[in-house]
């Protein structure tokens, strides 16, 4: 009863590998954040983090994406863009449209 089967050992190895990967990922992210702070300064690094969580109105999103407000509303209705509502106002997080913005501006 004291011996583990090979499948149990394999599962334990997989769990350990997964935990190690998560720890390495966290360490790398910390190193990247530290390097960004070193390169651009702590205030700018904090500002960049806040920009990625910046909510946009439908009008601002339409202007950034070069679309009409109506088309942005339709994209929200079709779940193509995540959004939040505060009362009647609709907001879109800039990080949720960052890939679309990059592709739009890359073709300019």
């Amino acid at each position: 009863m004291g011996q583990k089967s090979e499948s149990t050992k394999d599962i334990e190895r997989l769990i350990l590998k997964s935990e190690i990967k998560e720890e390495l990922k966290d360490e790398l992210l910390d190193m990247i954040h530290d390097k960004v702070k070193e390169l651009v300064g702590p205030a700018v690094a904090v500002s960049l983090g806040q920009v990625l969580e910046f909510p946009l109105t439908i009008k601002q999103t339409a202007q950034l994406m070069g679309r009409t407000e109506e088309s942005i509303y339709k994209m929200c209705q079709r779940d193509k863009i995540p959004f939040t509502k505060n009362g009647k106002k609709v907001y879109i997080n800039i990080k949720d449209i960052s890939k679309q913005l990059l592709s739009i501006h890359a073709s300019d």
Side-chain angles (χ1 to χ4, degrees):
M1 214 158 127
Q3 290 200 345
K4 296 178 182 177
S5 68
E6 280 301 311
S7 61
T8 302
K9 289 178 184 177
D10 289 341
I11 291 171
E12 287 177 345
R13 280 189 212 109
L14 288 173
I15 291 170
L16 183 61
K17 282 183 182 179
S18 175
E19 289 172 354
I20 290 171
K21 284 180 184 178
E22 282 300 312
E23 286 179 28
L24 286 174
K25 184 177 87 172
D26 291 342
E27 285 181 37
L28 285 172
L29 285 172
D30 288 343
M31 289 170 59
I32 290 168
H33 288 131
D34 291 343
K35 192 64 176 176
V36 167
K37 285 180 186 175
E38 179 184 317
L39 292 172
V40 298
V44 174
V46 168
S47 296
L48 285 173
Q50 290 171 347
V51 165
L52 293 177
E53 294 293 331
F54 189 76
L56 300 170
T57 64
I58 292 291
K59 184 176 184 174
Q60 291 168 326
T61 304
Q63 289 172 340
L64 279 172
M65 295 182 74
R67 298 190 177 220
T68 65
E69 290 178 41
E70 183 181 340
S71 69
I72 300 300
Y73 277 114
K74 285 180 182 178
M75 290 173 80
C76 290
Q77 289 171 345
R78 294 180 182 139
D79 292 328
K80 294 189 178 202
I81 299 177
F83 65 94
T84 56
K85 283 184 92 172
N86 185 0
K88 291 185 178 184
K89 299 221 181 221
V90 175
Y91 296 97
I92 297 166
N93 197 316
I94 195 166
K95 74 177 181 181
D96 293 329
I97 60 165
S98 60
K99 287 182 185 174
Q100 288 109 326
L101 288 173
L102 287 173
S103 65
I104 290 167
H105 294 292
S107 62
D108 288 346

